[in-house]
Amino acid sequence: MRMNTKVLHEGYHPKNGEPRALPIYQSTTYTYDSTEDIGQLFDLTKEGHMYSRISNPTVQAVEEKIASMEGGVGALCTSSGQAASMISLLTILKAGDHFISASTIYGGTVNLFAVTFKRFGIDCTFVAPETSLDELQQHVKPNTKAIFGETIANPAMTILDIEKFAALAHNNKLPLIIDNTFATPILCRPIEFGADIVIHSTTKYMDGHAVQVGGVIVDSGQFDWSNGKFPEFTEPDASYHGVVYTKDFKDAAYITKARVQLMRDIGAYPAAHTAFLLNLGLETLAVRIEKHCQNALEVATFLNDTSDVQAIFYPGLPTDRYHERMKKYTPKGASGVISFDIAGGKERAIKFMDALKLASNVVHVADIRTCVLHPASETHRQLTDDQLKEAGITPGLIRLSVGLEDIEDILEDIQQALDVSRVS
Ligand SMILES: *Cc1c(COP(=O)(O)O)cnc(C)c1O
């Protein structure tokens, strides 16, 4: 199947007389004929659902669809994008370990890595994404266990050189984890460029309608966990009577460990109804993304031509610093998100945002409706000035998420808000 077909048909295959739409299995538990059956589920020697903290048939259909879209061997849905980032790393790292992350990532992820993981005894080094491979190598230590980056950074709108980060990872026998939230598999499939694990906040484009918070982790199945650096994958897991993930689950070792160990213990699994809503979003993802990219390119071209805008960051613009790299990694478009620095700094930015009538001022992005956000005073408020700079955020930076309205209406709204914010 190709992508437009996958989003509609993967994951759920109804048999004769069964519902055409994905059913919502709103049940915490599953019945079995014998205690022996359930014992085998606990031993992981038999497949099946046991308890909806670990798996559920509705969620599983969505997991299979996303795994197929990204070209992975398996996926695990989570209750948020934050939970996906956390579990993707905690499946690999423990106290005393270290990992490397590009600095151009989502603000919430910076907090998780720099503050909360530190409290767990896990150390993260943030690196400037344009650092050369040789310089990046100098940050790798004996206890380094993973490399992390974002395809299209929220909100800096930089495009990561995924192949360079994959080289850094693989030269050191480490897995590369890529947050592919903004690109979605419609624009980029990071596994094709060497990513070993792909994560998403499904809250954004995958859902698209602002109705569910969720996340997902996809396993490429390609990383060699038995290379000597990851004993937790090759030695018996005491919590499962000695299961050895690499031996018993082969290329699905990582995603199985993430589910049966981390998800079992942390419990950040989505409800069936949430997965049902996400599935509705996924069904139209391909057509929506195409239109988001089209509308955003028109808005970016308009903003680029006005003197009210000091700098604009949209890799789809031929003049953008990341345009060449976009042609390689996201050739069909650069998503619907545009960041721009308004002339007049923070004060003007706030006036502009408050003057918008159609675009909503929300803590959200990647929605079907056009929306705006001021990173420095909202999502990235907790970051220090240095962290803001590293994430590519200036005081006047506005993140504009272009929706699917008629382009004339979007442009008229922006024009009137520029005018109003200029006058007073
Ligand atoms: C929003 C976002 C997250 C966090 O996801 P939540 O669903 O809000 O927990 C992680 N990464 C990126 C790139 C995001 O945009």
Side-chain angles (χ1 to χ4, degrees), residues 134-304:
D134 285 347
E135 284 174 272
L136 287 173
Q137 181 60 41
Q138 299 175 8
H139 297 288
V140 178
K141 309 187 224 178
N143 62 341
T144 306
K145 293 290 168 67
I147 311 289
F148 188 98
E150 227 167 270
T151 312
I152 303 179
N154 171 9
M157 297 307 286
T158 53
I159 294 189
L160 191 75
D161 187 349
I162 299 176
E163 283 183 345
K164 181 177 74 181
F165 277 76
L168 173 71
H170 300 157
N171 290 347
N172 294 284
K173 297 184 170 179
L174 302 172
L176 174 65
I177 306 176
I178 291 290
D179 181 339
N180 198 33
T181 298
F182 271 19
T184 81
I186 306 300
L187 297 177
C188 179
R189 304 207 317 159
I191 292 170
E192 290 169 0
F193 298 104
D196 301 289
I197 296 149
V198 177
I199 65 162
H200 288 271
S201 163
T202 61
T203 318
K204 315 298 166 51
Y205 285 119
M206 281 192 168
D207 166 338
H209 300 71
V211 292
Q212 64 93 47
V213 171
V216 70
I217 305 170
V218 181
D219 182 358
S220 71
Q222 284 167 13
F223 189 76
D224 177 15
W225 299 101
S226 55
N227 67 18
K229 282 189 165 256
F230 303 94
E232 283 193 8
F233 286 80
T234 54
E235 289 168 12
D237 180 351
S239 69
Y240 275 111
H241 314 310
V243 152
V244 175
Y245 294 105
T246 45
K247 186 166 137 273
D248 298 333
F249 299 100
K250 307 277 184 307
D251 61 355
Y254 171 84
I255 204 69
T256 305
K257 185 173 187 282
R259 183 187 301 277
V260 304
Q261 209 184 48
L262 275 296
M263 190 56 88
R264 174 198 61 186
D265 294 351
I266 290 170
Y269 202 61
H273 184 250
T274 305
F276 171 82
L277 294 172
L278 171 57
N279 187 56
L280 288 181
L282 289 171
E283 288 178 337
T284 59
L285 184 66
V287 281
R288 282 189 289 111
I289 288 287
E290 194 181 323
K291 182 74 177 162
H292 276 296
C293 291
Q294 241 178 44
N295 273 359
L297 184 58
E298 292 215 32
V299 172
T301 306
F302 168 83
L303 289 172
N304 198 30

